[in-house]
Amino acid sequence: RDNPMVAELLKHQVPVVACGVPLGFEGSVGYVAADDRAGARTMTRHLLDTGRTRVAMITGPLDTPGGTLRLEGYREAVGDAFDETLVAHGDYSRESGRLAMAELIGRRPDLDAVFVANDLMAAGALVALQAAGRSVPDDVAVGGFDDSGVAAALHPALTTMRQPFERISAEMVRLLLETVEGAEPAAVTLQTTLVRRAST
């Protein structure tokens, strides 16, 4: 939050467009973002729709928009069943996903699904589940977020939320050119898409 680099760029009137919601600068910096909250809601509901009842979450860092908004979407989807013991935190790295999954298994061995806030952490979570003798998806269903290159290559291949990266890039260029021409900051939010694979 309140990124000093963004503050410095604004101070010097350098045109800026952010990729993702620029926390603390939403009113003064244009941005293009995937709909993190709605995507997280969709993935969590998908896991619930497979008949799972104890859906855990591994969040991203809570000082990032993806970290906070994906957690909010998960909370909205589980509603009154929200349980803090089913939530662990990562930093978007593979190793943090492995450690968070091991923490969750230790704390809640009864969990039967996990929504992981990015695909790289989900790769680590799969390692932890395998080490704990849990079969995916038979024992634990796993869903990720991004549809990065790693998702389809995992074993089992990862069900995930696809971000429209090419469209995000194109919209960022468009908004930046408008900003250079003197337009007011604008925000564009793009939908994510559920990609079903073998992990759920």
Side-chain angles (χ1 to χ4, degrees):
R1 272 179 213 275
D2 300 327
N3 186 318
M5 182 191 293
V6 175
E8 195 67 16
L9 290 168
L10 289 174
K11 187 171 107 179
H12 293 287
Q13 299 182 325
V14 175
V16 179
V17 171
C19 180
V21 180
L23 296 177
F25 295 95
E26 295 91 337
S28 52
V29 172
Y31 64 89
V32 181
D35 195 336
D36 290 304
R37 181 187 280 118
R41 225 173 21 237
T42 297
M43 176 57 75
T44 306
R45 285 182 182 147
H46 168 67
L47 292 168
L48 290 166
D49 287 346
T50 66
R52 313 299 168 129
T53 57
R54 293 171 301 282
V55 179
M57 180 178 184
I58 298 173
T59 77
L62 297 183
D63 60 351
T64 66
T68 55
L69 295 171
R70 292 173 198 176
L71 176 58
E72 286 175 18
Y74 164 82
R75 287 189 74 141
E76 288 168 8
V78 297
D80 292 340
F82 178 76
D83 182 343
E84 193 69 51
T85 67
L86 284 168
V87 178
H89 306 288
D91 63 11
Y92 289 138
S93 70
R94 185 186 299 252
E95 179 63 4
S96 77
R98 185 187 70 79
L99 292 171
M101 191 72 246
E103 175 191 329
L104 285 167
I105 293 166
R107 190 165 63 220
R108 289 297 302 269
D110 60 331
L111 68 85
D112 57 10
V114 60
F115 163 45
V116 190
N118 81 334
D119 295 344
L120 204 52
M121 289 194 299
L126 288 173
V127 170
L129 287 163
Q130 183 179 18
R134 305 296 176 89
S135 171
V136 176
D138 296 340
D139 300 327
V140 180
V142 179
F145 203 106
D146 287 338
D147 198 26
S148 60
V150 74
L154 292 172
H155 299 286
L158 186 67
T159 294
T160 187
M161 296 304 299
R162 176 176 293 152
Q163 293 203 57
F165 291 117
E166 288 185 12
R167 176 116 187 264
I168 288 171
S169 302
E171 289 292 323
M172 286 181 70
V173 170
R174 182 180 67 79
L175 288 189
L176 185 58
L177 291 173
E178 288 180 1
T179 304
V180 168
E181 294 295 322
E184 289 296 309
V188 175
T189 302
L190 300 172
Q191 297 306 306
T192 57
T193 310
L194 177 66
V195 179
R196 292 180 175 88
R197 295 195 180 98
S199 68
T200 60

